[in-house]
Amino acid sequence: MLEETLNIKSGQESIPVSLWFPEDRIVRAVALLGHGLGVDRHHEFNTRIASLLSAASCVVLSPELPLHGERSSGKADDWREIVNSWQVFWSAGGVQALVEEWTSFQSYAVERFPGKPVGYFGLSL
């Protein structure tokens, strides 16, 4: 699996994204992959799923989600802190922000890989 990193603009934010390609770079479909709560896009569970999808000739687009990885404050070490930060995020319009972000990711996928079907696979988040 080959990784390309980039940033996708959503509103005023530039969001870090990994694109994982099949080794032969033959792409039959695009999978948008959301990681689970408290981990980042490079977490082992996420990369295993990306590896399985890329072996099936999918390019996998996996963004860094809000409050995670490169987009975190780096302060949340405890699960309670992580859950609390998400409760604050949700109550401050987080749902709309995520809708806008995922719409940007989907638009990018459709533009970069025209004619390829686009699907979604998400974990606990």
Side-chain angles (χ1 to χ4, degrees):
M1 174 171 76
L2 307 169
E3 182 180 16
E4 176 184 327
T5 58
L6 62 138
N7 289 294
I8 294 178
K9 188 106 167 130
S10 179
Q12 298 299 315
E13 194 159 359
S14 184
I15 301 165
V17 172
S18 291
L19 283 176
W20 285 299
F21 288 87
E23 291 288 333
D24 61 10
R25 288 235 179 222
I26 295 172
V27 176
R28 294 193 178 109
V30 181
L32 305 178
L33 177 58
H35 59 71
L37 183 64
V39 301
D40 63 33
R41 72 184 194 273
H42 288 107
H43 187 270
E44 179 183 7
F45 193 73
N46 205 46
T47 57
R48 282 185 185 184
I49 292 167
S51 180
L52 292 170
L53 290 167
S54 70
S57 297
C58 290
V59 64
V60 178
L61 187 155
S62 186
E64 199 72 84
L65 297 177
L67 308 175
H68 290 78
E70 294 174 53
R71 296 176 72 190
S72 76
S73 65
K75 297 177 186 173
D77 295 327
D78 179 80
W79 275 100
R80 291 176 296 249
E81 292 175 35
I82 293 168
V83 170
N84 288 338
S85 67
W86 269 93
Q87 289 172 339
V88 170
F89 178 77
W90 289 132
S91 65
V95 171
Q96 185 59 39
L98 281 175
V99 167
E100 291 171 11
E101 288 184 12
W102 283 101
T103 300
S104 296
F105 305 144
Q106 180 185 17
S107 295
Y108 175 86
V110 168
E111 290 174 22
R112 173 124 183 222
F113 305 99
K116 303 297 183 194
V118 178
Y120 173 81
F121 185 96
L123 304 173
S124 67
L125 190 60

